[in-house]
Amino acid sequence: MFNDRFKLGGPLNVRSFRYNSLGPRDNGDALGGDTYWAAGLSFIADLPQKPHWPLKPHLYVNAGKLTTLDRSRPLNNALRDAIFNPSVSVGIGLIYR
């Protein structure tokens, strides 16, 4: 059977969250959702006094929301909830380039 719902969370879309951990759940199982958004911002720099090194510090912010459309609610309420109640992660790390 093919799954026709979106999944969100994990290293490829919203970092610092487990794979498929965002959105509605049933007894711990990810159900997926009808709509989603995800965004990320990264800052990568050279190490001070070592610009030639392949190791770079990395700062990131990721955010996203996965939700189901409740057809009994007005669409603008669902959109407002999706925009103003995101899951957000912030982190630091090192990148080898």
Side-chain angles (χ1 to χ4, degrees):
M1 185 65 63
F2 294 104
N3 189 348
D4 62 350
R5 298 179 67 95
F6 296 111
K7 304 280 179 105
L8 193 61
L12 299 178
N13 47 45
V14 182
R15 285 180 274 199
S16 297
F17 289 94
R18 287 179 309 205
Y19 186 69
N20 293 340
S21 65
L22 301 179
R25 304 185 84 67
D26 181 33
N27 293 326
D29 296 326
L31 298 176
D34 301 316
T35 61
Y36 79 94
W37 67 268
L41 178 67
S42 292
F43 177 72
I44 301 169
D46 292 326
L47 289 170
Q49 301 180 10
K50 302 289 183 185
H52 60 284
W53 278 19
L55 204 57
K56 310 288 182 192
H58 177 223
L59 173 68
Y60 66 87
V61 176
N62 287 107
K65 180 72 173 189
L66 174 70
T67 188
T68 57
L69 289 179
D70 182 356
R71 309 238 189 271
S72 66
R73 291 177 54 200
L75 182 59
N76 63 345
N77 287 353
L79 292 175
R80 187 179 306 117
D81 181 50
I83 293 170
F84 294 113
N85 295 314
S87 297
V88 179
S89 66
V90 177
I92 59 172
L94 293 173
I95 294 178
Y96 182 80
R97 283 191 169 178

